[in-house]
Amino acid sequence: MFSNMGEKALEAALTEEGRSAFITQNEKFIISCASRFTRRYITKSDDEWSIALIAFSNAMDTYEADKGNFQSYARLLIERRLTDYIRSQARFSDEQMTEPYVFEGNVDEDGENSAYQLHIVRATSTTDENPIRDEIVALNEILADYDISFMDLTSCSPKAAKTKSACCEAVNYLSKTAELVEKMRSTRLFPIKNIAENTKVPRKILERHRKYIIAAVEIICNDFPLLQEYIK
């Protein structure tokens, strides 16, 4: 049997007037779902409101009794749509940074990208099957041979745009030079001299961000498709 609210949602979806009225009755619920997910108060002027509204309307069209309580189902759809939105925003933002501490379950609630950080925390939460956490564990094992930990990347990650560009050039050069990568792995020595001579990256930047560059190269050169998405 459909829940009472589920029946009302399906009935309201039959007409535009009914849909509009039902959505108006549940505006507080929609805003609450979006605000809770993003951890900030959402207003009707925010993009997240529009996304949550569309998801709620879609829930009215697709709800079935075996999908449980209507509100729980609608909340699930809202969170899925918001997750997709946050991913798309991150993908098209050149300045989007993901601090290593986020992968450990911590969120900077005062940060500008707190919603994106929260998405990552949820994506990497401990579950029976969690591919990205498995990648982090595997990467940590590789970095341990260089006496580097995943959390070290917080302090050595480039912040300024110019430094990011320089590190990117170094990572690209090293990751595409197979013999250098193999030598680095066998000796555990970072080829600063070779990189400096073959790129325009200052030696000072290479020394300061050695751990970050090594980690990025190992991510690119190994089977870590999810982490590769984050470092792009």
Side-chain angles (χ1 to χ4, degrees):
M1 294 291 292
F2 288 108
S3 66
N4 186 43
M5 189 171 183
E7 291 177 347
K8 290 180 179 179
L10 292 173
E11 183 179 353
L14 296 175
T15 65
E16 288 304 313
E17 294 79 5
R19 183 186 300 273
S20 179
F22 189 76
I23 288 175
T24 299
Q25 292 169 10
N26 289 279
E27 282 184 355
K28 289 184 178 180
F29 169 76
I30 299 171
I31 288 176
S32 174
C33 288
S35 299
R36 184 175 178 179
F37 181 81
T38 59
R39 286 190 175 182
R40 67 182 179 83
Y41 183 70
I42 298 299
T43 69
K44 291 184 179 180
S45 62
D46 293 315
D47 290 342
E48 289 85 352
W49 157 255
S50 299
I51 293 164
L53 183 63
I54 292 171
F56 184 84
S57 180
N58 181 243
M60 293 173 64
D61 294 320
T62 59
Y63 176 71
E64 296 176 2
D66 60 2
K67 292 178 179 177
N69 176 275
F70 174 77
Q71 283 192 326
S72 297
Y73 176 65
R75 181 180 293 109
L76 177 63
L77 262 60
I78 289 172
E79 292 184 351
R80 283 178 178 173
R81 288 291 183 88
L82 287 172
T83 294
D84 290 341
Y85 170 72
I86 291 169
R87 281 175 173 164
S88 68
Q89 291 297 101
R91 186 175 298 116
F92 293 110
S93 175
D94 291 336
E95 297 303 314
Q96 185 70 49
M97 288 288 292
T98 306
E99 298 289 1
Y101 63 75
V102 177
F103 291 97
E104 297 296 322
N106 301 308
V107 174
D108 177 10
E109 296 186 3
D110 296 324
E112 293 182 359
N113 65 344
S114 59
Y116 177 59
Q117 290 182 11
L118 181 59
H119 157 65
I120 294 176
V121 168
R122 285 172 171 163
T124 59
S125 60
T126 303
T127 59
D128 291 336
E129 291 186 21
N130 198 319
I132 195 168
R133 183 165 290 275
D134 291 341
E135 288 187 13
I136 293 171
V137 171
L139 176 63
N140 254 325
E141 293 179 358
I142 293 173
L143 295 181
D145 290 333
Y146 297 97
D147 196 24
I148 301 173
S149 74
F150 192 78
M151 293 307 294
D152 288 340
L153 305 184
T154 300
S155 58
C156 65
S157 296
K159 302 297 188 295
K162 187 175 180 179
T163 308
K164 290 179 189 176
S165 179
C167 286
C168 181
E169 184 178 354
V171 170
N172 284 336
Y173 170 74
L174 182 53
S175 63
K176 292 176 181 178
T177 312
E179 62 272 21
L180 268 187
V181 174
E182 288 305 314
K183 185 176 181 180
M184 181 179 74
R185 287 171 172 170
S186 63
T187 63
R188 305 303 175 190
L189 296 176
F190 182 53
I192 289 181
K193 182 179 179 180
N194 190 297
I195 297 174
E197 291 177 349
N198 289 278
T199 68
K200 297 179 180 179
V201 183
R203 190 182 181 93
K204 186 177 180 180
I205 289 180
L206 294 174
E207 292 173 345
R208 184 177 301 167
H209 299 285
R210 175 184 67 86
K211 292 181 179 180
Y212 172 82
I213 295 169
I214 290 174
V217 169
E218 287 293 359
I219 289 173
I220 291 172
C221 294
N222 282 282
D223 186 22
F224 298 135
L226 299 176
L227 286 176
Q228 286 169 10
E229 285 297 314
Y230 287 114
I231 69 169
K232 283 180 180 180

